[in-house]
Amino acid sequence: MERLSGEARDRVRASSLTLVGVLTLVLVAAGIYAGLTGGQPVGVAPSEVLAVSADGRTATVAVEVGGCERLQGVDVEAGADVVVLIARVVQDEPGTDGACEDVARLARRTVVLDEPLAGRALRTATP
C-alpha cells in the first residue's frame, strides 16, 4: 500500500472495512437464524389428514412430533393430479435435565390451499 497515493489508499481501506462489515452482518444473521430454528436441520415428520373442508380449500393435519422436536410448519406442493402436505419439524435442545420426552405427541395444523382440491388426491409426505 506504500506505492498507492493517499486517495487510492483510502479507497482500499474503505473497501476492506466494508467487506469486513458485510461479512460480520452475514455471520450474525446466520447465528440468529440458527437460534430461531433450534440450530438443527429441518426434517419431515409423519402426518395424517384428519379433515378436509366441504369446499376443498382447507385441510386439518395431525403431525407426529417427537420429544425434542418442534413443528415448524406444513408446506403444500400442489400439482395437476395431487396435492402433497409436507410436515416439517426441527430439533430442539433437550430440557434442563438433558433429556427429551420419550413419548411422541400429535400436533394439529390447519392448512389453507391456494386452490380447492377439485378432484385432486390429497396426500401427506412420509419421512
Side-chain angles (χ1 to χ4, degrees):
M1 278 223 277
E2 296 168 1
R3 294 185 224 176
L4 296 175
S5 68
E7 183 179 333
R9 187 174 33 243
D10 291 342
R11 286 185 183 174
V12 169
R13 285 181 182 156
S15 296
S16 298
L17 287 173
T18 301
L19 178 62
V20 169
V22 168
L23 287 175
T24 301
L25 288 174
V26 168
L27 292 174
V28 167
I32 290 171
Y33 177 76
L36 292 175
T37 61
Q40 299 297 321
V42 175
V44 176
S47 59
E48 177 184 348
V49 176
L50 297 177
V52 178
S53 65
D55 63 359
R57 298 246 351 165
T58 61
T60 302
V61 182
V63 181
E64 186 178 314
V65 181
C68 276
E69 293 178 334
R70 176 173 35 93
L71 179 61
Q72 185 181 46
V74 178
D75 295 335
V76 178
E77 289 188 8
D81 299 324
V82 66
V83 175
V84 180
L85 303 177
I86 306 165
R88 302 209 184 267
V89 294
V90 293
Q91 283 292 123
D92 274 342
E93 295 297 320
T96 55
D97 60 356
C100 297
E101 288 183 32
D102 198 20
V103 178
R105 61 193 184 284
L106 291 179
R108 291 181 184 219
R109 185 66 53 99
T110 300
V111 180
V112 179
L113 306 176
D114 290 338
E115 298 176 15
L117 287 173
R120 296 180 292 174
L122 180 62
R123 298 195 177 114
T124 59
T126 55

